[in-house]
Amino acid sequence: MAMEKFIKHTGTAIPLRRSNVDTDQIIPAVYLKRVTRSGFEDGLFAAWRNDPDFVLNQPQYKSGTILVAGPEFGTGSSREHAVWALQNYGFKVVISSRFADIFRGNSLKGGLLTVILPQEAVEAIWTTIENDPATSITVDLETRTVSYGSTTIAFDLDDYTRWRLMEGLDDIGLTLKHTDAIDSFEAKRPAYKPKTLPIRI
Amino acid sequence: MGKTLAEKIWEDHVVRSADGEPDLLYIDLQLVHEVTSAQAFDGLRLAGRKVRRPDLTIATEDHNTPTLDILKPIADPVSKLQIDTLRNNAKEFGIRIHSLGDADQGVVHVVGPQLGITQPGMTIVCGDSHTSTHGAFGAIAFGIGTSEVEHVLATQTLPSSRPKTMAINVEGSLKPGVTAKDIILAIIAQIGTGGGQGYIIEYRGSAIRELSMEGRMTVCNMSIEAGARAGLIAPDQKTFDYIKGKPHAPEDFEAAQKYWETLFTDSDAKFDVEITLDGNTLEPFVTWGTNPGQGLPLNASVPNPAEIKDSEERGAAERALEYMGLTAGTPLKNIAIDTVFLGSCTNGRIEDLRAAAAVIEGKKIAPKVRMLVVPGSERVRQQAMKEGLDKVFLDFGAEWRNAGCSMCLGMNPDQLAVGERSASTSNRNFEGRQGKGGRTHLVSPLVAAATAIRGTLSSPADL
């Protein structure tokens, strides 16, 4: 599916001071029964949101669009619903020092920008936004930087992914341009490779 | 320089590579289930696209299915809609499906191998992180998100950047009572939930070679819990023998085996990282916390967070003990449980059921303990019944269910209630994973069985 272009985002941020935030916390399995791509915001951090003190429930963080989380964010299941839940809730960016591979892949396919910063930089942002929740943070894909106040931090993202995000390109459409290459690869596949059809039982 | 097994398989599947772009990788098989596919099929419909290779695609129902009364209509209307959606999509796009009640229904990662569709040298994907299970056959198998499911349905390829390679050598021989599950729990405790990030792990060494195919699947299954993209084991005679005679074994077995025999890491190949574990000294392992890296030998005690140096880990341990309702210093064997779950894509195969049945045979379940035995597939269930294992479990006082993911994830009716504590042969002990407020200790089938007898975390040696 084509996605919204991501070039630059400015917003306020929410500190989530936890490591190993797994996809079962981001969205518990009971919320995965829907067959649509929308409406998953009610499941986002569902168990934690029962706690009135949970950071998402604090009024000063109500309008945050950038989530700043501890290391190993998104471990566990491959459920892309975790990305949809964050997006449906209104997040545009997640910042962490480490993301689980599948979650990161899903986020970048779906247009939720996951930014990897050193843990010290994450800690500095936490301190800043805890002191002043209204701090405006800009995440710029053009320059590959996160900036707030007088601080600017560069982050890495490979050129190809950056280009895809900035153009909002449909991955499938890109691959289908290489159908000839797929055809010729298939023509050379060995005959002993298994097929699911016709059914053998 | 030689190549690693993962590099050989990867290179055999590159359709196209270009500087600065991910490789376009051909996918030999996609497994599909109800939870992560509906939005992918919708995407195809919206774009007017077809499934490129229905004959390299197979679907089953497992995550959101009940394990009781499976032939009645599903009671929860939202769950029913999800199952019906998969059935309709399979029909519309011409995909083979094994539905509830079908002889080949079951947990998607149990179904592939038992049909013989999982073979060495393949690339296999599924919208499920435990797809790494299939790596036990010497395949590159990994979990993907729904956007990628759609991509593979449409193109039978996936743009993927090449992972780094890690070798985990487990040398020596396991002591009696120590299993594949203990190996992988010990590995995750050592390298952490992010230790495998960005890598394909190859499990090597004599303790791995000695494992049965079922045991190898258990090890590869939990690669994702170490953060790895995939995990695999070089195929050998055991692998070939396992596939031979299965419904989808190659007709020209000789030609296939000739290729499979080339699938090993060359002696002069270099891994990006190598890790070694002593198999001789491994003990039965259990988790005490809320991520799979928080595990210890069963003879140990609940750790004291104050003694953990790393502040991040210390904070995580404090939160975990609070959620788990545990006190530092308590011997793990003193922890009383109320629920035992035997099943899942990690430990729901016939060998797992046999191992647990041998421990409990002729005994009675501890008072106030509930035990769910959920075969990984309908075929496993049939086989177990042929061997009389169902009777062993029922006489013991356990519940004998139909196949599915069941209590591994709190999605279907099989769930822990708030505050309940399980010894579970599944793969994740996250907060609320088995039901909101539920507490999970990950264990092997042997530990699960001994725990059901004693009511506290135990191994067969404690009986």
Side-chain angles (χ1 to χ4, degrees):
Chain A
M1 285 221 324
M3 59 186 171
E4 218 176 291
K5 290 181 186 183
F6 191 114
I7 294 165
K8 187 199 261 198
H9 173 75
T10 300
T12 56
I14 303 180
L16 183 62
R17 281 189 181 261
R18 300 196 194 213
S19 59
N20 270 292
V21 175
D22 58 73
T23 52
D24 278 82
Q25 304 319 315
I26 300 173
I27 183 163
V30 284
Y31 291 93
L32 309 184
K33 298 180 182 185
R34 286 194 199 102
V35 294
T36 59
R37 267 182 195 254
S38 57
F40 290 100
E41 65 275 11
D42 58 348
L44 182 70
F45 301 124
W48 295 344
R49 269 161 80 190
N50 287 333
D51 173 3
D53 292 334
F54 180 58
V55 66
L56 259 66
N57 293 331
Q58 297 176 18
Q60 69 273 32
Y61 295 117
K62 274 285 182 229
S63 55
T65 51
I66 300 168
L67 186 68
V68 187
E72 315 302 349
F73 188 85
T75 57
S77 139
S78 65
R79 58 187 70 162
E80 197 162 322
H81 311 65
V83 171
W84 301 334
L86 287 160
Q87 288 179 317
N88 293 166
Y89 184 87
F91 285 111
K92 304 287 183 199
V93 179
V94 183
I95 297 174
S96 169
S97 62
R98 284 172 72 92
F99 290 97
D101 284 343
I102 304 180
F103 175 82
R104 181 156 162 86
N106 287 342
S107 68
L108 296 174
K109 297 260 174 198
L112 174 72
L113 182 61
T114 40
V115 173
I116 301 174
L117 292 184
Q119 186 59 27
E120 308 84 71
V122 171
E123 305 265 355
I125 300 177
W126 278 341
T127 307
T128 304
I129 58 181
E130 280 166 356
N131 288 333
D132 181 8
T135 305
S136 170
I137 298 185
T138 296
V139 181
D140 189 338
L141 204 44
E142 179 84 55
T143 56
R144 281 178 268 217
T145 56
V146 174
S147 50
Y148 58 97
S150 58
T151 308
T152 297
I153 317 153
F155 64 85
D156 276 338
L157 187 70
D158 67 90
D159 293 342
Y160 182 79
T161 306
R162 173 171 165 267
W163 166 72
R164 236 180 12 80
L165 285 164
M166 290 181 70
E167 299 289 328
L169 289 172
D170 165 17
D171 241 3
I172 299 176
L174 291 176
T175 297
L176 287 174
K177 288 185 188 154
H178 306 296
T179 302
D180 287 354
I182 303 173
D183 289 343
S184 52
F185 183 93
E186 271 181 342
K188 283 184 262 170
R189 286 180 82 232
Y192 54 73
K193 290 268 183 181
K195 289 187 178 146
T196 58
L197 297 169
I199 295 174
R200 290 198 249 151
I201 286 176
Chain B
M1 197 174 71
K3 289 175 186 166
T4 65
L5 169 60
E7 287 162 346
K8 286 183 184 178
I9 300 172
W10 189 277
E11 283 167 15
D12 280 349
H13 290 83
V14 175
V15 171
R16 178 183 175 273
S17 64
D19 274 349
E21 289 183 35
D23 287 345
L24 189 62
L25 206 62
Y26 197 82
I27 302 301
D28 287 319
L29 174 68
Q30 174 158 230
L31 305 150
V32 174
H33 66 89
E34 71 275 17
V35 179
T36 56
S37 64
Q39 295 86 348
F41 286 111
D42 267 349
L44 292 183
R45 259 190 299 270
L46 277 172
R49 289 170 179 149
K50 288 189 161 68
V51 173
R52 182 181 173 96
R53 295 296 300 266
D55 60 335
L56 303 182
T57 312
I58 187 168
T60 188
E61 303 160 2
D62 55 3
H63 283 64
N64 193 4
T65 51
T67 56
L68 287 172
D69 297 329
I70 58 165
L71 296 179
K72 288 188 189 160
I74 294 174
D76 173 1
V78 189
S79 297
K80 182 174 183 300
L81 175 65
Q82 193 171 54
I83 300 287
D84 288 345
T85 302
L86 177 65
R87 291 177 187 177
N88 292 336
N89 283 329
K91 199 169 166 199
E92 179 181 339
F93 290 94
I95 291 168
R96 171 178 177 180
I97 182 168
H98 295 290
S99 290
L100 277 181
D102 182 299
D104 281 299
Q105 179 267 341
V107 182
V108 65
H109 309 307
V110 179
V111 169
Q114 78 185 12
L115 283 170
I117 290 181
T118 298
Q119 295 177 12
M122 291 173 70
T123 46
I124 301 174
V125 297
C126 173
D128 186 282
S129 58
H130 292 109
T131 308
S132 57
T133 312
H134 307 264
F137 292 79
I140 291 182
F142 54 94
I144 56 178
T146 299
S147 295
E148 292 176 317
V149 169
E150 182 182 340
H151 197 287
V152 176
L153 287 171
T155 69
Q156 206 57 38
T157 64
L158 202 59
S160 307
S161 37
R162 189 183 285 232
K164 295 173 282 183
T165 58
M166 176 187 288
I168 297 185
N169 304 299
V170 190
E171 297 294 351
S173 282
L174 301 181
K175 287 188 276 200
V178 180
T179 66
K181 184 65 164 283
D182 304 305
I183 294 181
I184 190 64
L185 286 175
I187 289 173
I188 300 163
Q190 182 174 327
I191 72 172
T193 55
Q197 225 170 73
Y199 293 95
I200 294 184
I201 298 174
E202 182 180 337
Y203 302 97
R204 301 155 59 84
S206 52
I208 298 292
R209 283 196 302 275
E210 281 173 20
L211 292 175
S212 64
M213 288 311 296
E214 283 88 349
R216 294 176 187 186
M217 284 189 250
T218 300
V219 170
C220 290
N221 171 276
M222 288 188 72
S223 301
I224 184 69
E225 271 63 53
R229 195 83 178 103
L232 45 66
I233 294 171
D236 59 11
Q237 194 57 45
K238 264 186 215 173
T239 321
F240 310 150
D241 292 345
Y242 186 96
I243 296 167
K244 204 158 202 167
K246 294 274 189 299
H248 283 268
E251 273 163 8
D252 190 351
F253 202 91
E254 213 176 301
Q257 187 171 328
K258 209 171 143 203
Y259 169 60
W260 298 345
E261 284 171 351
T262 68
L263 298 173
F264 55 86
T265 291
D266 296 328
S267 55
D268 57 343
K270 212 170 147 29
F271 290 94
D272 295 304
V273 176
E274 283 209 53
I275 288 167
T276 299
L277 238 77
D278 183 2
N280 294 313
T281 57
L282 282 180
E283 296 285 337
F285 227 81
V286 301
T287 61
W288 51 268
T290 52
N291 75 57
Q294 293 174 321
L296 281 169
L298 181 58
N299 287 322
S301 296
V302 175
N304 184 355
E307 289 166 13
I308 299 174
K309 284 196 194 95
D310 181 90
S311 69
E312 199 60 56
E313 265 182 55
R314 185 169 57 243
E318 282 165 359
R319 269 197 306 279
L321 292 196
E322 191 190 335
Y323 180 85
M324 293 295 287
L326 294 174
T327 310
T330 308
L332 293 170
K333 283 189 180 171
N334 288 3
I335 296 174
I337 59 89
D338 40 56
T339 304
V340 173
F341 172 58
L342 175 61
S344 84
C345 60
T346 314
N347 281 125
R349 297 181 186 80
I350 188 68
E351 185 182 84
D352 302 311
L353 301 193
R354 285 179 191 143
V359 174
I360 62 160
E361 186 155 23
K363 301 202 167 60
K364 284 290 169 208
I365 194 165
K368 292 185 194 160
V369 171
R370 146 177 90 136
M371 181 177 189
L372 251 66
V373 183
V374 185
S377 71
E378 174 61 14
R379 285 215 185 273
V380 169
R381 186 170 161 273
Q382 292 296 339
Q383 177 66 31
M385 285 163 64
K386 213 157 87 186
E387 298 176 20
L389 303 185
D390 56 328
K391 243 188 107 356
V392 173
F393 287 116
L394 288 166
D395 289 347
F396 174 67
E399 296 178 43
W400 177 249
R401 297 293 189 91
N402 288 284
C405 296
S406 184
M407 200 180 262
C408 176
L409 84 170
M411 177 159 196
N412 52 69
D414 305 341
Q415 300 198 18
L416 291 180
V418 175
E420 280 188 333
R421 185 183 297 282
S422 77
S424 177
T425 65
S426 55
N427 41 54
R428 287 190 178 135
N429 53 343
F430 298 152
E431 288 180 25
R433 168 75 179 185
Q434 296 189 289
K436 199 171 172 181
R439 295 158 168 167
T440 304
H441 296 274
L442 299 177
V443 300
S444 73
L446 291 179
V447 170
T451 300
I453 295 169
R454 285 166 51 97
T456 49
L457 290 175
S458 309
S459 78
D462 301 317
L463 299 174

